[in-house]
Amino acid sequence: MTKSSYIILSVSLLVVVLITAYLSQPKKKNINNLLLVESSTFQVAGGWGYNVLVDHKIFIHQEAVPAIGGNKIFIKKEDAEKTAALIVQKILNKKVPSVSEHELDSLQVTY
């Protein structure tokens, strides 16, 4: 074998080793890509409630309007959907999944 053949073989082996080392490294995972967060509404007596699911498991089961005294329900399905969507966004943004009366008013939720 000639000197140039040894150089080509050495460079080729080095490239194979580098590619193998790169591909064998553990991949970094993003928590937002791992969890599926979604919501669904359901009927309750005289109105609506919602579930927030994380990885297809119920994380929050809400039968009444949160942040409001008493046991008031969502009159309209759309109001339950808007509130659940707010909770989903808070979870995805790594915030506490709570709702204030002010936020409900901002969403124009009737109760």
Side-chain angles (χ1 to χ4, degrees):
M1 242 192 213
T2 66
K3 186 176 181 178
S4 63
S5 297
Y6 281 116
I7 293 173
I8 291 172
L9 180 60
S10 298
V11 170
S12 298
L13 286 173
L14 180 62
V15 168
V16 168
V17 168
L18 290 175
I19 289 172
T20 303
Y22 175 76
L23 293 176
S24 66
Q25 289 180 342
K27 305 290 185 242
K28 293 180 182 177
K29 295 181 179 178
N30 182 349
I31 189 71
N32 289 335
N33 293 336
L34 295 178
L35 298 176
L36 173 65
V37 182
E38 57 190 335
S39 64
S40 63
T41 57
F42 57 87
Q43 285 189 300
V44 295
W48 295 88
Y50 64 85
N51 287 321
V52 174
L53 298 95
V54 176
D55 277 348
H56 305 289
K57 294 179 184 136
I58 294 177
F59 181 66
I60 297 172
H61 178 78
Q62 191 70 42
E63 293 185 9
V65 180
I68 303 299
N71 199 17
K72 297 184 180 182
I73 58 173
F74 291 100
I75 305 298
K76 296 185 275 182
K77 180 179 181 180
E78 295 78 21
D79 291 341
E81 289 171 338
K82 288 189 283 188
T83 306
L86 174 64
I87 296 294
V88 166
Q89 285 305 308
K90 285 187 173 194
I91 292 170
L92 292 174
N93 291 322
K94 300 177 183 163
K95 295 183 180 176
V96 177
S98 63
V99 178
S100 69
E101 190 173 347
H102 175 72
E103 289 172 315
L104 291 172
D105 292 340
S106 295
L107 293 172
Q108 299 179 339
V109 172
T110 55
Y111 43 89

